[in-house]
């Protein structure tokens, strides 16, 4: 996940600059970065007709900072039904973040950089990882209702993890730098 370390501040202008260096159309909008992906030209008449009727335009991703979260404090908004996480843009975002000192790492790695000796944190991370596996298995079986229940049960655990990290770093969620 993308993370602004506690010794850094969120800088959407720097991210947008790094993304533009990678030939991505990145624009700073208030405190966020909007990335417009180039659209592929339609291959045939039916695709052109579909684009005309459905008014499909370019796809967008939005990067923003969420001071209420600790680990996943950089949020990435996009339509997962239209974009695969295998797209090169995600690699480019990760590289841009790393260049300015932000982290791209699994939740466990980020959390344990701050609190390597916390048994409670390790237990919570284990539970969240197990729930994530269960959720993915349920989605694969197309049992979306059960997957949603697990997601909802996972949220308080993730909030507790963030609370522990805010406490250990003496950084309050409502006073995080932006």
């Amino acid at each position: 996940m993308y993370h602004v370390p506690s010794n850094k501040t969120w800088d959407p202008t720097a991210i947008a600059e790094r993304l533009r260096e990678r030939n991505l159309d990145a624009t700073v909008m208030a405190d966020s970065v909007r990335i417009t992906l180039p659209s592929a030209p339609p291959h045939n008449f039916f695709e052109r007709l579909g684009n005309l009727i459905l008014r499909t335009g370019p796809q967008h991703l939005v990067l923003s900072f969420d001071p209420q979260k600790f680990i996943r404090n950089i949020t990435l908004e996009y339509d997962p039904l239209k974009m695969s996480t295998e797209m090169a843009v995600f690699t480019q975002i990760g590289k841009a973040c790393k260049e300015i000192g932000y982290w791209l790492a699994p939740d466990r790695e980020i959390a344990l950089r701050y609190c390597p000796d916390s048994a409670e944190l390790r237990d919570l991370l284990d539970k969240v990882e197990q729930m994530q596996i269960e959720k993915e298995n349920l989605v694969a079986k197309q049992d979306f209702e059960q997957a949603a229940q697990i997601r909802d049960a996972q949220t308080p655990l993730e909030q507790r993890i963030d609370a522990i990290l805010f406490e250990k770093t003496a950084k309050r969620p409502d006073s995080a730098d932006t």
Side-chain angles (χ1 to χ4, degrees):
M1 296 300 105
Y2 306 106
H3 173 75
V4 177
S6 61
N7 64 342
K8 298 275 184 186
T9 57
W10 171 242
D11 187 352
T13 303
I15 294 234
E17 288 172 3
R18 296 307 184 295
L19 292 169
R20 284 191 293 268
E21 290 170 3
R22 291 178 163 66
N23 297 319
L24 290 172
D25 180 8
T27 307
V28 176
M29 298 177 67
D31 224 13
S32 301
V33 178
R34 179 181 168 137
I35 304 163
T36 303
L37 300 179
S39 53
H43 292 91
N44 58 44
F45 171 77
F46 295 110
E47 285 183 12
R48 280 193 299 273
L49 182 62
N51 288 348
L52 184 64
I53 293 171
L54 299 174
R55 301 232 187 262
T56 58
Q59 297 178 36
H60 304 279
L61 295 110
V62 177
L63 283 168
S64 56
F65 181 77
D66 185 349
Q68 297 299 315
K69 294 185 177 181
F70 192 94
I71 293 180
R72 297 178 182 209
N73 58 14
I74 298 177
T75 59
L76 181 59
E77 299 169 30
Y78 65 97
D79 186 345
L81 298 177
K82 293 182 181 177
M83 290 184 212
S84 164
T85 55
E86 301 298 317
M87 292 178 68
V89 68
F90 293 102
T91 302
Q92 298 304 326
I93 291 169
K95 288 179 180 178
C97 285
K98 284 182 177 182
E99 281 181 11
I100 57 175
Y102 299 166
W103 298 347
L104 172 62
D107 292 357
R108 175 179 292 276
E109 184 179 326
I110 291 169
L112 295 178
R113 283 186 186 182
Y114 290 101
C115 301
D117 301 326
S118 173
E120 179 184 10
L121 194 57
R122 287 180 188 276
D123 289 344
L124 287 167
L125 289 163
D126 289 343
K127 288 177 186 174
V128 167
E129 287 173 359
Q130 183 57 42
M131 292 173 97
Q132 182 64 32
I133 292 167
E134 289 175 36
K135 188 171 59 176
E136 289 170 4
N137 289 337
L138 289 167
V139 168
K141 294 177 186 176
Q142 297 190 355
D143 187 348
F144 301 116
E145 188 173 320
Q146 274 300 111
Q149 290 175 359
I150 289 178
R151 180 201 62 219
D152 293 344
Q154 196 175 340
T155 301
L157 298 178
E158 291 170 342
Q159 290 171 337
R160 176 66 187 137
I161 291 168
D162 281 346
I164 291 169
L165 292 167
F166 277 122
E167 182 182 311
K168 296 289 185 187
T169 61
K171 196 171 190 180
R172 296 179 41 86
D174 56 356
S175 66
D177 293 330
T178 57

